[in-house]
Amino acid sequence: GNSVTQMEGPVTLSEEAFLTINCTYTATGYPSLFWYVQYPGEGLQLLLKATKADDKGSNKGFEATYRKETTSFHLEKGSVQVSDSAVYFCALRPLGTASKLTFGTGTRLQVTL
Amino acid sequence: DVKVTQSSRYLVKRTGEKVFLECVQDMDHENMFWYRQDPGLGLRLIYFSYDVKMKEKGDIPEGYSVSREKKERFSLILESASTNQTSMYLCASSPLRARGHNYGYTFGSGTRLTVV
């Protein structure tokens, strides 16, 4: 079946540090890949996506590249801010099937001054 | 601004009560979903619906049912609430895959349900 594995958190960084949150997946074919962010007390928001191999999704300074050879979609940001503190979810949506997303368990990021 | 609205942010119910969680979207999306979110377990799909009066079980449907009488509304029903159903419940919607430019979901803000 399909699955998404994320690094366990929490990840604690100082402001302006470099962020990497690892995400690997298992799926047949070429799924679409997503990162969602959940700020405290809120629902999930789509952060970025990539729909085919070597695509790079980007938004708000965050980037992730769809790597078919390593089945990965790691989230990166060059300089984090306190306002980036949130839970980040990696997800996949299989090709040619019903519209269901499969989520990872989430990684909590805490950014301190 | 497009929206998925969940009727309550916080609910406290007693064991054995019948509980209704309501979700409304204004984007004319065909697909709607109910998830529960628990620490360490991430999001788990309870039920989803492709269309009015259509529903399919997700990964953890036991103890839940759903209703979709209108396209914009998707209700989650706990027939007899139990303490192990204390959780955050998230509703989401998406267009049909063929129609949507963005194949992701739009989520509501969530309902935190406590069953005592």
Side-chain angles (χ1 to χ4, degrees), chain B residues 35-60:
Chain B
Y35 285 87
R36 64 177 283 178
Q37 182 180 12
D38 301 288
L41 298 176
L43 277 73
R44 293 181 291 168
L45 181 64
I46 305 171
Y47 267 97
F48 62 103
S49 170
Y50 297 121
D51 201 351
V52 175
K53 299 192 186 295
M54 302 292 289
K55 60 183 179 183
E56 287 206 23
K57 293 179 180 179
D59 301 317
I60 53 163

Side-chain angles (χ1 to χ4, degrees), chain B residues 58-77:
Chain B
D59 301 317
I60 53 163
E62 296 78 19
Y64 303 95
S65 62
V66 290
S67 172
R68 190 151 181 217
E69 297 296 319
K70 293 185 177 181
K71 190 176 185 180
E72 66 271 18
R73 184 180 297 271
F74 192 37
S75 303
L76 180 69
I77 304 156

